[in-house]
Amino acid sequence: MKKIRLDKFLSNLGFGTRKEIKNFLKEGLIEVNDKVIKKPVHIDIETDTVKFDGETVEYKEYFYYMLNKPQGYITATKSKEHSTVMDLMYEEPIIDKLFPVGRLDIDTEGLLIITNDGQLAHRLTHPKWNVEKEYYAVVKGNISEKNLSIYEKEGLQLNKEEKTKPFRIEVIKTDNDKSQIKITLTEGKYHIVKRIMEKLGHPVLYLKRIRIGSLKLDESLNSGEYRELTEEEVKQLKKLVNLED
Ligand code: URA
């Protein structure tokens, strides 16, 4: 049995504030088990059927989206100076409860998970869980594949105090003093890809995240577009970090 107050239930799903829901109740818009209910009673989310304006309401506690982040947006929920990634999702009803998982720089594009599931977000970003993040990058200079395998074993000493975890670089193409690469790492430290590539003598000119663990960026999403994750996509992500239902 999972009891919850009717106004909280509907407000969690984005039907309005609890005050607004109380007004909808008074207006007779809400039914529980086919009876119009005018007071915020407790309901059992597993067995009771709720209808809003005649439509059955499916309860979900958690919401998961992938956003194809464009450049020019910061990865935050609020900012006075910049547009945030949440501005791209303003149509979502539970926008106030959603937040981005991890961070992409203002000039980085690509895959960002947006959710209200704090536990999954924490595990996907915590280095302990070793979740791979894969980026496509264009870097300055002609990078040679030789000697890159060492970083897969040892990581890279960035400065006196800081050493990265092991990471992998794959060269896709190199010409005209530019190279296209894929780089895969399991940590999300500040500017990590840019700092690694700078240290290797190949500053980043363009950066896009294309994968987080089992989740690949859906290439049908244009920059700035987002979609809900499928149940299977959520299941696979949870499996990676031991959060299977
Ligand atoms: N590494 C960076 O340097 N920037 C990002 O946005 C993500 C990873």
Side-chain angles (χ1 to χ4, degrees):
M1 198 189 290
K2 252 188 160 175
K3 291 252 176 193
I4 183 169
R5 255 172 68 132
L6 189 52
D7 51 336
K8 184 159 195 284
F9 169 91
L10 287 166
S11 134
N12 283 355
L13 289 172
F15 282 87
T17 61
R18 290 180 70 173
K19 199 168 159 208
E20 283 164 347
I21 305 290
K22 283 184 188 146
N23 287 332
F24 295 146
L25 280 161
K26 279 189 207 141
E27 287 168 34
L29 283 174
I30 298 158
E31 289 166 63
V32 176
N33 301 329
D34 294 322
K35 273 201 205 98
V36 172
I37 299 288
K38 301 228 163 178
K39 294 233 156 71
V41 291
H42 278 85
I43 56 153
D44 182 340
I45 53 178
E46 279 160 3
T47 55
D48 290 326
T49 309
V50 178
K51 283 188 185 160
F52 184 90
D53 205 10
E55 301 270 340
T56 303
V57 176
E58 297 292 341
Y59 188 66
K60 275 199 291 190
E61 195 167 1
Y62 295 118
F63 295 78
Y64 306 90
Y65 302 86
M66 72 160 83
L67 167 72
N68 185 359
K69 178 193 173 296
Q71 292 185 354
Y73 288 77
I74 61 162
T75 311
T77 49
K78 280 192 193 94
S79 166
K80 286 203 176 109
E81 288 150 56
H82 297 282
S83 298
T84 77
V85 290
M86 301 316 296
D87 294 335
L88 296 162
M89 300 188 59
Y90 68 93
E91 283 176 333
E92 287 308 306
I94 60 149
I95 186 83
D96 291 348
K97 301 196 176 80
L98 297 172
F99 52 84
V101 177
R103 194 174 289 189
L104 292 178
D105 298 334
I106 190 163
D107 56 353
T108 302
E109 298 182 5
L111 178 59
L112 199 56
I113 297 173
I114 311 278
T115 185
N116 60 340
D117 183 342
Q119 196 178 29
L120 180 67
H122 180 72
R123 292 202 186 180
L124 289 175
T125 47
H126 197 290
K128 171 185 151 186
W129 293 95
N130 283 323
V131 176
E132 289 191 341
K133 282 99 191 170
E134 185 176 348
Y135 297 82
Y136 164 83
V138 180
V139 299
K140 204 163 169 357
N142 297 113
I143 190 166
S144 152
E145 280 212 316
K146 258 201 303 181
N147 308 327
L148 290 179
S149 58
I150 187 155
Y151 307 117
E152 275 185 64
K153 291 188 207 100
E154 296 182 7
L156 173 71
Q157 194 75 40
L158 283 174
N159 51 49
K160 262 197 203 147
E161 301 90 44
E162 237 186 327
K163 189 173 183 191
T164 72
K165 291 173 64 178
F167 61 88
R168 190 167 66 242
I169 298 181
E170 190 191 320
V171 180
I172 305 169
K173 195 176 169 192
T174 174
D175 57 15
N176 288 333
D177 202 30
K178 268 187 197 168
S179 305
Q180 294 177 44
I181 62 162
K182 279 185 183 168
I183 175 166
T184 305
L185 355 96
T186 58
E187 59 193 325
K189 282 188 194 149
Y190 185 64
H191 288 343
I192 188 73
V193 175
K194 290 178 186 160
R195 289 193 296 144
I196 289 174
M197 296 315 298
E198 182 82 38
K199 181 83 185 176
L200 297 181
H202 297 281
V204 167
L205 303 171
Y206 171 83
L207 189 59
K208 179 178 186 175
R209 184 157 62 192
I210 54 175
R211 181 172 64 86
I212 299 172
S214 51
L215 187 69
K216 282 192 180 156
L217 176 65
D218 183 338
E219 291 293 342
S220 72
L221 291 176
N222 290 323
S223 190
E225 288 183 344
Y226 65 92
R227 70 156 169 83
E228 263 198 89
L229 297 190
T230 64
E231 273 179 32
E232 187 57 28
E233 285 169 337
V234 175
K235 193 170 150 195
Q236 292 305 327
L237 281 176
K238 287 186 174 174
K239 200 165 149 190
L240 274 183
V241 291
N242 266 356
L243 283 177
E244 279 161 286
D245 298 322

